[in-house]
Amino acid sequence: MQTDSQPKDLQNKYTSRPGILIAGPCSAETELQILNVAEALSKTGVDYMRAGIWKPRTSPGHFEGIGTQGLKWLQTASKQYGIKVATEVATAKHVEEALEHGIDMLWVGARTTVNPFAVQEIADALQGVKIPVMVKNPVNPDLSLWMGAIKRLMNAGLSTIIACHRGFNVYQKTLLRNAPLWEIPIELKRLMPEIPLICDPSHICGNRESLLKIAQKSMDLGYEGLILEVHPNPDKAWSDAAQQVTPEGFMQLLSQLRYKKQSSDDRFYNSRIQFLREEIDEIDGRLMELIAARLESARKIGQLKNQNGVAFYQHDRWTEVLSHCKQLAEQLHINENFAVELFNLLHLTALDIQGE
Ligand code: PEP
Ligand code: MN
């Protein structure tokens, strides 16, 4: 995390840490576990220690949180080690109890953000209260639902609201527990630039191995912070064992991250990037003209098919176009998945135009 030990050129290129840093166990389990982790984290300079007290689990039969007694442990840990504490709330009663116990930050979990009634209940309970609240993305890839939850909390007069990207449940299983779908948080940042955006690599990954890659990617995309699950004995954790790291593992991960700046004062960098950006704008212009020409050809084909009573979708022709696309992608060293996705979009748009 410190840059002191880095070579001079690295000190120049990178800033030293993400803006907001939150770490702690998935769940509070015992008082000793909370005190242990609080002691370790108090030496790392994190802004908040996280610990779930009430755990919304997808399926029954798993540990659903230690409940209210855990709030006292957080309070004790906070006093003893001078660390601020954060927990998840899903109902007005949770808010009330968390506030009574002096919790410093609250978060709305992914399974709650999906429910406007629950979010409104939380917002109403927070009316006039000055406490930072973090809003995780909803489990489903729905940007409006995420923004809606943020707006409900804004309307309650909260001054510090943080958006937290924890990935999205998609049916296709991948190596990651939740698909990042980076375009959604990027669009959130574009539409709500004043809301700090942080990343939760633990819940995106579901495993320890990918944490660094996802955390680094979020830093490269200009995220303003990280929340990571840290447990004194991860393998024995009562929830989310596979994705938690020890406090040492957490520090190691932080030391491996590279935090990039938003801009540079270097004259050569600035003139070169301006030149390259003009080049990109010019290419985009040509690209759009070519796309317009392609869609115009598709429209003419549609007319011809219509006049002859021929169906718009032709399976053999599409197979031919797709294999041409893959061949071109290989020749031109373009990622095949990207090329296929682009052609799918062009094809569907052309079919829409023909159907008009
Ligand atoms: C959590 O942070 O422990 C949690 C339950 O996360 P999410 O709401 O992102 O699933
Ligand atoms: Mn968890």
Side-chain angles (χ1 to χ4, degrees):
M1 199 164 88
Q2 296 301 326
T3 49
D4 300 355
S5 58
Q6 290 177 350
K8 271 261 163 325
D9 60 330
L10 280 191
Q11 283 190 26
N12 256 345
K13 271 188 204 150
Y14 304 110
T15 55
S16 60
R17 56 158 277 183
I20 308 162
L21 204 46
I22 305 169
C26 178
S27 305
E29 298 164 3
T30 64
E31 184 164 23
L32 188 62
Q33 170 236 17
I34 287 297
L35 293 176
N36 275 345
V37 76
E39 182 181 12
L41 288 174
S42 67
K43 297 172 190 154
T44 66
V46 297
D47 300 295
Y48 295 90
M49 176 174 88
R50 60 151 288 154
I53 297 294
W54 301 283
K55 301 297 301 176
R57 307 308 298 274
T58 300
S59 318
H62 297 272
F63 174 58
E64 298 205 316
I66 205 72
T68 312
Q69 59 175 317
L71 292 172
K72 293 208 175 65
W73 307 339
L74 290 184
Q75 213 171 12
T76 310
S78 174
K79 274 205 199 104
Q80 206 156 315
Y81 296 106
I83 192 169
K84 288 186 183 165
V85 287
T87 202
E88 172 170 353
V89 290
T91 64
K93 186 150 191 307
H94 292 166
V95 171
E96 206 179 292
E97 292 191 28
L99 294 178
E100 267 169 27
H101 287 83
I103 301 300
D104 303 289
M105 177 197 263
L106 305 175
W107 83 81
V108 179
R111 291 162 194 76
T112 305
T113 308
V114 289
N115 182 346
F117 284 140
V119 176
Q120 193 56 52
E121 181 183 316
I122 294 169
D124 291 343
L126 284 168
Q127 194 79 42
V129 180
K130 292 277 163 274
I131 186 168
V133 178
M134 181 167 79
V135 184
K136 294 227 190 178
N137 68 254
V139 277
N140 57 327
D142 186 339
L143 177 58
S144 335
L145 216 42
W146 196 4
M147 287 175 58
I150 293 172
K151 285 180 193 157
R152 284 175 198 277
L153 291 159
M154 277 176 156
N155 291 344
L158 289 164
S159 50
T160 309
I161 299 173
I162 296 165
C164 173
H165 173 217
R166 53 76 80 195
F168 302 88
N169 290 20
V170 291
Y171 190 62
Q172 293 84 358
K173 282 299 155 221
T174 64
L175 292 176
L176 299 174
R177 177 177 172 187
N178 288 299
L181 308 181
W182 298 100
E183 63 278 19
I184 297 178
I186 288 173
E187 182 64 359
L188 175 83
K189 192 67 196 169
R190 195 180 69 80
L191 295 171
M192 295 185 137
E194 72 286 7
I195 300 290
L197 173 65
I198 76 167
C199 185
D200 175 349
S202 308
H203 290 91
I204 291 178
C205 297
N207 66 69
R208 278 164 219 146
E209 294 67 37
S210 327
L211 290 175
L212 177 61
K213 191 169 151 223
I214 295 296
Q216 184 62 60
K217 170 120 183 173
S218 70
M219 293 297 103
D220 292 345
L221 290 172
Y223 280 48
E224 289 133 303
L226 288 171
I227 174 167
L228 282 151
E229 285 190 336
V230 177
H231 190 286
N233 190 355
D235 286 333
K236 293 276 156 55
W238 298 2
S239 59
D240 290 350
Q243 69 198 30
Q244 305 204 56
V245 292
T246 58
E248 296 72 33
F250 167 65
M251 289 310 286
Q252 193 189 358
L253 191 148
L254 286 182
S255 71
Q256 286 172 283
L257 281 177
R258 295 289 169 248
Y259 311 107
K260 303 204 177 101
K261 299 177 287 199
Q262 280 301 309
S263 58
S264 165
D265 299 333
D266 186 88
R267 270 188 33 230
F268 176 73
Y269 163 85
N270 280 306
S271 68
R272 182 79 184 134
I273 201 152
Q274 193 182 344
F275 171 81
L276 290 170
R277 282 181 173 159
E278 279 164 17
E279 193 172 79
I280 289 263
D281 287 346
E282 196 259 324
I283 294 171
D284 283 349
R286 280 191 278 145
L287 210 53
M288 292 302 267
E289 277 169 17
L290 283 173
I291 289 173
R294 193 190 192 283
L295 293 176
E296 179 55 20
S297 289
R299 195 186 59 78
K300 286 184 192 152
I301 289 178
Q303 262 174 354
L304 203 59
K305 285 178 183 161
N306 230 357
Q307 283 155 7
N308 290 274
V310 174
F312 296 134
Y313 176 64
Q314 299 282 324
H315 184 73
D316 291 347
R317 172 61 182 155
W318 173 232
T319 308
E320 195 186 338
V321 170
L322 209 53
S323 75
H324 188 210
C325 149
K326 290 181 186 171
Q327 201 186 324
L328 287 171
E330 193 180 345
Q331 270 172 25
L332 298 167
H333 307 290
I334 296 172
N335 176 293
E336 186 180 297
N337 288 340
F338 163 74
V340 168
E341 218 173 293
L342 181 66
F343 269 63
N344 264 316
L345 200 58
L346 284 170
H347 182 230
L348 287 176
T349 307
L351 286 176
D352 280 348
I353 290 173
Q354 295 186 348
E356 272 164 14

